[in-house]
Amino acid sequence: MSNKPKILVARAIFAETVDRLRQHFDVQDNPGDALWTPAELAQRLADKDGLLSTGSQRIDAALLAAAPRLKIVANMAVGYNNFDVQAMTAAGVQGTNTPDVLTETTADFGFALLMATARRMTESEHYLRAGKWTQWRYDMFAGSDIHGSTLGIIGMGRIGQGIAKRGAHGFGMKVIYHNRSRLAPALEAECKATYVSKDELLRTADHVVLVLPYTPEAHHTIGSAELALMKPTATLVNIARGGIVDDAALALALKDRRIAAAGLDVFEGEPNVYPDLLTVPNVVLTPHIASATVPTRRAMADLAADNLIAFFGGRGPLTPVNKI
Ligand code: GLV
């Protein structure tokens, strides 16, 4: 019998990363990418020392109680709102995430979604594919400008800063931001970003991009009251987490044209999508793919694996989210 630590890999990941894990651990993986129920996950964790998770496994007190040997959960995501960090710390379980390796790729996507939304790219493509394009018209799919407009960023961590730099330096946008804490002056200068209150941001931005982490306090950061503050010509982009936006309120605001358009990569209750969002035309919808380039997803899987290897090698985790 091997005395290597036993690791569970909860979802399908790159075969090369699993091969690397096998050099250090006794690995049970999930190449068929079965979606285990919490009970099925708990059953597989009963004899495991470590877990490589993705954002779709909830790590809470009930699961931890069923996993008495578990010492570390390495999330293949920068966000870790699937962790009950308090319960993990109380159970002496280390949590890790994958920051930095996805920053630029995710900022690229945030900008792409903003452009697609403001310039009505998917709505116009659907029109063309449906064979409705019979002649040019002066106002056909006329959207709003990106260059020279005001970009409002809520959540000015590493990804928010990446979006700010793209907007300010690449597109001559005026950048305003709101964050739990104000950036150091040197970082504000680098991002050419000005700190404002949330209300001022919502009132003055032409484009609002959400990049804040999900916490209970951040639940419905954007609801009907906030949407009512926005300009009727404004766009809203959410690449943060489902639950940051009240999707029902947003669907109504889009339907009533209280704002011009939205771009959403994340949803409340995903992979389910609030049904009205599927029927309003002025929204661009993508299935939580902001970090999805091959090199970045590979780097995320590798960092999650490196966290497990460093932890069991006695060197401590590389990117911990709690202190045990
Ligand atoms: C993706 O949403 C992540 O948190 O990495």
Side-chain angles (χ1 to χ4, degrees):
M1 251 197 44
S2 145
N3 55 3
K4 289 177 180 174
K6 288 185 173 11
I7 299 291
L8 181 68
V9 179
R11 296 289 306 273
I13 59 166
F14 298 90
E16 296 86 344
T17 310
V18 177
D19 286 346
R20 204 153 64 78
L21 286 169
R22 287 199 202 284
Q23 291 168 18
H24 301 264
F25 307 117
D26 186 349
V27 177
Q28 180 180 2
D29 66 342
N30 182 5
D33 209 24
L35 288 178
W36 297 325
T37 63
E40 288 167 341
L41 177 63
Q43 187 221 326
R44 285 169 176 80
L45 272 183
D47 64 344
K48 300 297 186 298
D49 302 294
L51 170 66
L52 194 154
S53 61
T54 68
S56 33
Q57 292 79 49
R58 175 96 193 123
I59 312 300
D60 57 15
L63 185 77
L64 295 169
R69 291 174 50 152
L70 193 66
K71 293 170 198 70
I72 176 168
V73 183
N75 219 27
M76 187 183 144
V78 65
Y80 51 91
N81 56 303
N82 57 314
F83 286 0
D84 180 338
V85 175
Q86 222 182 340
M88 288 171 69
T89 307
V93 173
Q94 179 69 63
T96 64
N97 67 340
T98 57
D100 301 321
V101 293
L102 49 59
T103 300
E104 298 303 327
T105 292
T106 306
D108 281 351
F109 186 87
F111 221 86
L113 190 53
L114 168 59
M115 302 275 285
T117 303
R119 297 303 306 271
R120 305 176 64 179
M121 289 181 76
T122 57
E123 190 186 351
S124 57
E125 185 185 349
H126 287 144
Y127 175 89
L128 181 150
R129 283 181 189 269
K132 294 181 184 165
W133 184 27
T134 53
Q135 58 184 358
W136 182 91
R137 229 190 97 87
Y138 77 100
D139 61 350
M140 191 163 75
F141 296 107
S144 55
D145 274 324
I146 296 291
H147 73 274
S149 64
T150 297
L151 171 61
I153 301 174
I154 302 184
M156 199 63 155
R158 289 161 283 213
I159 298 168
Q161 291 166 33
I163 292 172
K165 286 180 203 160
R166 281 160 178 76
H169 300 294
F171 290 83
M173 298 173 95
K174 176 181 171 193
V175 179
I176 55 179
Y177 77 98
H178 185 72
N179 197 45
R180 270 178 302 194
S181 48
R182 205 173 153 166
L183 297 187
L187 256 187
E188 280 191 351
E190 214 182 293
C191 298
K192 286 194 172 180
T194 305
Y195 181 84
V196 294
S197 70
K198 181 176 148 193
D199 282 8
E200 184 180 343
L201 183 146
L202 292 169
R203 275 199 200 96
T204 53
D206 297 304
H207 307 288
V208 175
V209 179
L210 305 171
V211 210
L212 63 166
Y214 182 85
T215 58
E217 302 76 54
H219 187 72
H220 288 184
T221 293
I222 303 293
S224 50
E226 290 76 19
L227 290 161
L229 293 178
M230 291 174 66
K231 296 180 183 178
T233 50
T235 59
L236 176 73
V237 168
N238 185 10
I239 58 163
R241 272 292 180 274
I244 300 265
V245 173
D246 177 344
D247 286 349
L250 176 61
L252 193 62
L254 290 167
K255 201 160 145 218
D256 294 350
R257 305 271 167 180
R258 290 211 309 277
I259 66 168
L264 305 173
D265 186 49
V266 288
F267 305 87
E268 288 190 284
E270 65 186 51
N272 298 318
V273 175
Y274 185 74
D276 289 3
L277 286 173
L278 297 170
T279 57
V280 286
N282 46 343
V283 61
V284 178
L285 306 168
T286 52
H288 202 146
I289 55 167
S291 66
T293 65
V294 176
T296 292
R297 284 286 163 87
R298 183 65 206 266
M300 291 165 69
D302 282 342
L303 178 52
D306 287 340
N307 268 309
L308 293 166
I309 293 165
F311 178 83
F312 285 108
R315 297 190 298 282
L318 306 173
T319 50
V321 304
N322 62 343
K323 215 168 141 51
I324 55 162

